[in-house]
Amino acid sequence: MSQSYDVIVIGSGIAGLSFALKVAEAGQRVAIITKKNSAESNTNYAQGGIAAVTSQTDDVEMHVADTLDAGDGLCDEASVREILSDGAASIEELAQRGVSFTQLDDGTVSLGKEGGHSQRRILHVKDVTGKAIEDALLHGIASSANIDTFEHHFAVELITAAKLNQPGADRVLGLYALNTKTEQVETFQSRVVLLATGGIGQVYQYTTNPFIATGDGIAMAYRAGVEVRNMEFIQFHPTAFYSRDSDRFLISEAVRGEGAILRNLNGEAFMERYDERKDLAPRDIVARAIDSEMKQTGARHVWLDTRDIPLKKLHDHFPNIYDFCLKQGVALEEDMIPVVPAAHYLCGGVKTNLSGETSLAGLYACGEVACTGLHGANRLASNSLLEAVVMANRGATAVGKYLKTSHAVALELPNWVDGDVRDSDERVVLLHNWDEVKRTMWDYVGIVRSTKRLERARTRIQALEREITDYYWNFKVDESLLELRNMILVAGLVVDCALQRSESRGLHYTLDFTDKDEALADSKVRMSAS
Ligand code: FAD
Ligand code: SIN
């Protein structure tokens, strides 16, 4: 038996929650399916803030220009203008939902600065902006009678008309989700499904992303034949706290916005050799500069020097970062922070239009899983929270129209059929493959690429793909198997797209084609057989 809703939302970060609230307010019955507890998301860890034009001295056209400049010729200018124009209204809405953006002593809103922005325009809640947004949205969800939340439910696969051999145009009919508490796969039926599953950071050995970021939404969409693009554009954040294990706590770019300076191990403020904007150049430039400094000196990290920032500023604006560093033995007023780049954000993803519609009827996507054309080849800092909330609102409006024009499915969806063998001796292979995909991506598909490295990665990922496919069809599914299967798939898509791009642009830098080729447009992934 399936459970039936007007709208199903997969994911409970800023995109999924904002969208769910909107469609529920329009009277739809909504299910939110989320694989951990509701708060666990990239959103919850966002630090720097949300970019929008709210000051008299700023202008949407300046925000557009900065976004296009960072995007290195691959943004869709019309999408950029439309999305950024909705910025101030979306901020106002977040404030109405209970987000208290930090204010200055004079009562005006505090605006931070980050790389690539020509103006101060980052609204923030100290350095825990994401958590403040997540808390406010979850509060709204808890008060809505129209929303059921299914925590610890892992969305496994979309159900489509084509997969069920239904006549007529293909469309989404629902999905299968694994209840990770009962270990049963449940069937959900709906004419509308929103993918809001976030990014893919966990595909890399070192990432700022939490464990949820395994690319599940992109993998599901791809397997359903939905268009996916620009997967090669992986943003590496320049400054994650360096430690010997693989954890990478983010040191917000906003810290550089307040005057912190990158230094190599000789103490040199090296960014002036790379870009006139120095430490506040766009992220691709700063991350490559750090990579180059580390390679030249054989160092494991560079330093971030915060010692000239007034202590009160550090305490007021960055209490979370200050406390974290202190626990690691680094006092920001006296010591420098050891930092390294880490995989942070995916600029590509499931292709959507400005209504959040994908190439499959009834399937919508917004947030980091989606590719709207806003970010191009490199996202401007703090544009992602903004894009997620703006696109959630636009998507919700489009869904209202779709529900009025599409008809319900007169069909009982089939139940999930499980593999029935479980061989615990083989489980160690999963762990091994998990490590291998992450290491392969880090070593061969990182900040600086080459055709040889990418081909090496492709060979390894293809071997992993064969192994995991065999596993998937022969064993009862569980969360780690499903995540690994998705990670291997999206890793393959990143490599495929990277191999297509015979130029260096934005976040994709390859030693074999160091110049930009103006004739190259968006990359597309090979289409799935099933
Ligand atoms: P997420 O917030 O990642 O939510 C995804 C949701 O989907 C989660 O609930 C997850 O559990 C669920 N999910 C995933 N797969 C499944 C599945 N198979 N089944 C069910 N549920 C699933 N951006 C900014 O603009 N400003 C910042 O200051 C900023 N700081 C950042 C700091 C850090 C440390 C990180 C990691 C990112 C930061 N970003 C920032 C990026 C930004 O936070 C994310 O791009 C944004 O939060 C993504 O929101 P989302 O709703 O699309 O996805
Ligand atoms: C940060 O605070 O540096 C992260 C901002 C972002 O990813 O947009």
Side-chain angles (χ1 to χ4, degrees):
M1 266 295 283
S2 60
Q3 310 184 60
S4 185
Y5 286 88
D6 296 322
V7 173
I8 296 178
V9 173
I10 315 176
S12 54
I14 185 171
L17 297 179
S18 303
F19 178 92
L21 284 169
K22 277 277 165 177
V23 288
E25 282 158 10
Q28 314 298 344
R29 285 192 56 248
V30 185
I32 299 177
I33 290 178
T34 189
K35 67 179 174 179
K36 301 288 181 194
N37 65 55
S38 299
E40 193 53 5
S41 57
N42 273 9
T43 301
N44 209 34
Y45 298 91
Q47 294 184 353
I50 177 162
V53 172
T54 58
S55 128
Q56 298 292 332
T57 55
D58 200 359
D59 188 278
V60 173
E61 280 308 312
M62 290 197 249
H63 194 180
V64 169
D66 293 345
T67 301
L68 295 176
D69 184 45
D72 206 5
L74 223 61
C75 300
D76 176 336
E77 189 168 340
S79 305
V80 172
R81 194 161 280 107
E82 290 238 7
I83 293 172
L84 300 184
S85 299
D86 284 358
S90 297
I91 294 289
E92 182 53 36
E93 198 168 299
L94 284 173
Q96 276 169 14
R97 293 206 189 277
V99 181
S100 300
F101 290 106
T102 298
Q103 295 188 344
L104 299 171
D105 293 342
D106 63 5
T108 58
V109 70
S110 164
L111 295 175
K113 188 150 180 344
E114 292 182 34
H117 287 275
S118 58
Q119 302 294 314
R120 282 192 169 267
R121 63 166 73 98
I122 321 288
L123 292 99
H124 60 99
V125 182
K126 298 190 172 172
D127 57 355
V128 287
T129 312
K131 184 172 184 319
I133 292 175
E134 188 75 19
D135 286 351
L137 296 176
L138 283 174
H139 183 74
I141 298 285
S143 336
S144 171
N146 276 351
I147 304 176
D148 293 338
T149 302
F150 295 82
E151 293 187 322
H152 305 287
H153 277 63
F154 187 108
V156 179
E157 218 60 277
L158 296 169
I159 305 172
T160 63
K163 285 186 186 171
L164 298 185
N165 296 318
Q166 291 294 299
D170 197 11
R171 62 174 172 141
V172 77
L173 302 178
L175 59 91
Y176 294 114
L178 172 70
N179 178 333
T180 55
K181 296 286 184 201
T182 64
E183 298 188 8
Q184 296 302 309
V185 177
E186 299 170 12
T187 310
F188 289 82
Q189 184 156 0
S190 178
R191 274 183 287 162
V192 170
V193 174
L194 173 78
L195 295 173
T197 46
I200 70 165
Q202 282 298 324
V203 163
Y204 283 86
Q205 189 172 8
Y206 300 108
T207 177
T208 61
N209 291 190
F211 290 116
I212 55 101
T214 53
D216 302 340
I218 293 168
M220 274 186 284
Y222 175 75
R223 286 192 294 264
V226 176
E227 203 174 328
V228 173
R229 67 171 172 172
N230 291 4
M231 293 291 288
E232 68 274 41
F233 297 115
I234 306 291
Q235 185 167 71
F236 290 81
H237 196 292
T239 56
F241 192 99
Y242 168 74
S243 62
R244 283 190 174 267
D245 59 27
S246 59
D247 291 351
R248 289 292 180 261
F249 177 85
L250 184 76
I251 307 295
S252 174
E253 197 156 297
V255 179
R256 272 176 283 135
E258 297 307 327
I261 291 171
L262 286 159
R263 297 187 185 280
N264 61 21
L265 292 201
N266 302 324
E268 183 204 359
F270 58 86
M271 273 314 299
E272 25 192 86
R273 278 194 276 114
Y274 291 88
D275 194 282
E276 61 186 13
R277 290 160 290 185
K278 301 181 196 167
D279 299 86
L280 286 176
R283 273 183 202 168
D284 54 334
I285 295 168
V286 182
R288 264 199 306 280
I290 295 176
D291 186 70
S292 156
E293 291 295 310
M294 284 167 55
K295 281 187 177 134
Q296 277 169 36
T297 60
R300 289 180 186 274
H301 62 80
V302 294
W303 297 113
L304 185 65
D305 187 352
T306 51
R307 293 172 300 180
D308 281 345
I309 303 177
L311 186 58
K312 180 172 175 346
K313 181 88 179 172
L314 291 170
H315 280 310
D316 287 353
H317 195 149
F318 306 112
N320 184 40
I321 293 171
Y322 188 91
D323 286 352
F324 174 87
C325 290
L326 200 58
K327 284 195 189 112
Q328 312 304 311
V330 177
L332 299 194
E333 68 278 27
E334 288 172 7
D335 306 313
M336 293 194 284
I337 315 172
V339 292
V340 280
H344 183 64
Y345 185 86
L346 171 67
C347 295
V350 178
K351 185 179 176 191
T352 74
N353 61 16
L354 281 173
S355 299
E357 293 161 339
T358 70
S359 61
L360 178 67
L363 183 70
Y364 294 73
C366 59
E368 193 167 338
V369 69
C371 183
T372 59
L374 174 68
H375 308 310
N378 177 35
R379 174 182 65 106
L380 184 67
S382 287
N383 264 359
S384 47
L385 291 175
L386 183 73
E387 181 193 44
V389 70
V390 166
M391 289 306 300
N393 290 345
R394 287 174 159 262
T397 307
V399 160
K401 292 183 190 145
Y402 179 77
L403 285 172
K404 280 193 191 119
T405 54
S406 69
H407 58 91
V409 209
L411 176 74
E412 184 60 34
L413 300 183
N415 284 332
W416 177 262
V417 182
D418 223 332
D420 54 2
V421 192
R422 198 185 259 273
D423 183 348
S424 56
D425 290 352
E426 297 284 334
R427 291 271 141 183
V428 66
V429 176
L430 290 187
L431 200 60
H432 177 86
N433 289 357
W434 184 276
D435 289 343
E436 187 169 347
V437 67
K438 286 166 80 79
R439 260 205 320 273
T440 301
M441 292 301 284
W442 186 260
D443 290 343
Y444 302 136
V445 199
I447 296 172
V448 175
R449 301 166 179 178
S450 74
T451 305
K452 194 168 162 197
R453 286 181 204 161
L454 291 173
E455 280 169 352
R456 196 168 280 164
R458 180 161 64 183
T459 306
R460 293 195 180 192
I461 285 161
Q462 282 172 346
L464 290 168
E465 222 164 3
R466 283 193 292 277
E467 220 164 272
I468 198 74
T469 303
D470 182 50
Y471 231 88
Y472 178 77
W473 290 111
N474 289 302
F475 292 86
K476 190 170 191 305
V477 294
D478 67 14
E479 195 170 0
S480 56
L481 167 61
L482 293 169
E483 282 185 336
L484 179 60
R485 175 176 177 244
N486 292 336
M487 282 166 60
I488 292 172
L489 194 156
V490 293
L493 300 182
V494 174
V495 173
D496 276 359
C497 286
L499 276 166
Q500 275 176 48
R501 188 161 291 285
S502 49
E503 64 165 348
S504 287
R505 182 197 289 271
L507 297 160
H508 176 74
Y509 184 83
T510 168
L511 297 170
D512 293 297
F513 307 95
T514 48
D515 293 332
K516 190 153 52 179
D517 179 348
E518 296 298 349
L520 285 181
D522 292 340
S523 62
K524 291 203 172 90
V525 303
R526 68 194 144 85
M527 283 323 285
S528 155
S530 67

